[in-house]
Amino acid sequence: MEELDFPAGEEQAGRDFSGFSGEGGRYQGLRFVGCRFNGADFSEASFFQCSFETCKFTGARFNAARFEDCRIVNSSFQYAGLFGADFRQCKLTGSSFSGANTAAMTIEGGDWSYTDLREQEFYKMRLEGVNFKGADFNRAKLEKCRIKGCDLEGAVISGASFRGSDLRDSNIDGLDILGADFHGVQIDIGQAVAMARALGAVFKP
């Protein structure tokens, strides 16, 4: 089994860290490209300014882990455990969370554009200031969530449920609102106008 005690900034490419046990570890400035972390355990670990590109985390555990100012792009978290994970100002563009457990996650800021979040269940989650442009929320449940100041332009929301969520101050341009459940959502005036126009109504103040 490999160790993760490399010098900060030194790139590791194509290496296999599957099964690595790093619970509660503190990792800063590490860089990985095309590496595998399948089945690794990073529960309660902290990552600061780390970079992962085209990496695989199949079945890995990140329960209660913290990511801050990290770059995790075009990577796969298939069937990973992310219960209670905290992402702050991270870039996840193009990454996939197929089959992952994302319950109780917190996402503050950052770029999650074009991520695959299909069929995920986000309940009472706090999602603030996040760029979800073009993200795939197909059949996802984002119920009673605080989705404040997010960019949802062009996101795929077919079959998704936003029941009881707070969408105020978020950009909902280009959303197919007819294909999703917005029952009981909180919206602002601008969003109300956008939704009315999407339904073919003409707004006249």
Side-chain angles (χ1 to χ4, degrees), residues 62-64 80-86 100-106 120-125:
F62 293 95
N63 299 316
L82 291 152
F83 181 86
D86 184 10
N101 178 7
T102 57
M105 277 197 337
T106 298
Q120 286 300 318
E121 294 193 11
F122 299 146
Y123 182 70
K124 290 187 176 180
M125 279 179 55

Side-chain angles (χ1 to χ4, degrees), residues 30-63:
L30 301 183
R31 299 179 62 199
F32 301 92
V33 177
C35 293
R36 295 184 298 281
F37 296 87
N38 300 332
D41 189 352
F42 289 104
S43 298
E44 299 183 356
S46 295
F47 298 86
F48 180 67
Q49 293 184 337
C50 291
S51 176
F52 300 88
E53 184 175 344
T54 61
C55 291
K56 293 186 179 299
F57 302 98
T58 304
R61 294 182 293 282
F62 293 95
N63 299 316

Side-chain angles (χ1 to χ4, degrees), residues 58 80 89 126 201:
T58 304
Q89 302 302 327
R126 193 177 79 239

Side-chain angles (χ1 to χ4, degrees), residues 44-122:
E44 299 183 356
S46 295
F47 298 86
F48 180 67
Q49 293 184 337
C50 291
S51 176
F52 300 88
E53 184 175 344
T54 61
C55 291
K56 293 186 179 299
F57 302 98
T58 304
R61 294 182 293 282
F62 293 95
N63 299 316
R66 179 185 176 97
F67 298 84
E68 187 169 348
D69 196 22
C70 290
R71 182 177 180 271
I72 313 173
V73 299
N74 298 320
S75 295
S76 173
F77 288 89
Q78 188 174 34
Y79 304 119
L82 291 152
F83 181 86
D86 184 10
F87 292 86
R88 295 174 183 261
Q89 302 302 327
C90 294
K91 183 181 179 70
L92 278 292
T93 301
S95 289
S96 172
F97 293 81
S98 176
N101 178 7
T102 57
M105 277 197 337
T106 298
I107 305 175
E108 184 177 316
D111 186 355
W112 287 61
S113 57
Y114 304 101
T115 48
D116 178 0
L117 297 164
R118 287 175 290 178
E119 301 182 347
Q120 286 300 318
E121 294 193 11
F122 299 146

Side-chain angles (χ1 to χ4, degrees), residues 2-3 20-21 39 55 59 61 89 92 100 122 127 139 174 181 188 193:
E2 303 281 0
E3 296 294 332
F20 178 78
S21 181
C55 291
R61 294 182 293 282
Q89 302 302 327
L92 278 292
F122 299 146
L127 309 169
R139 298 188 302 280
D181 184 353
D188 55 37
V193 173

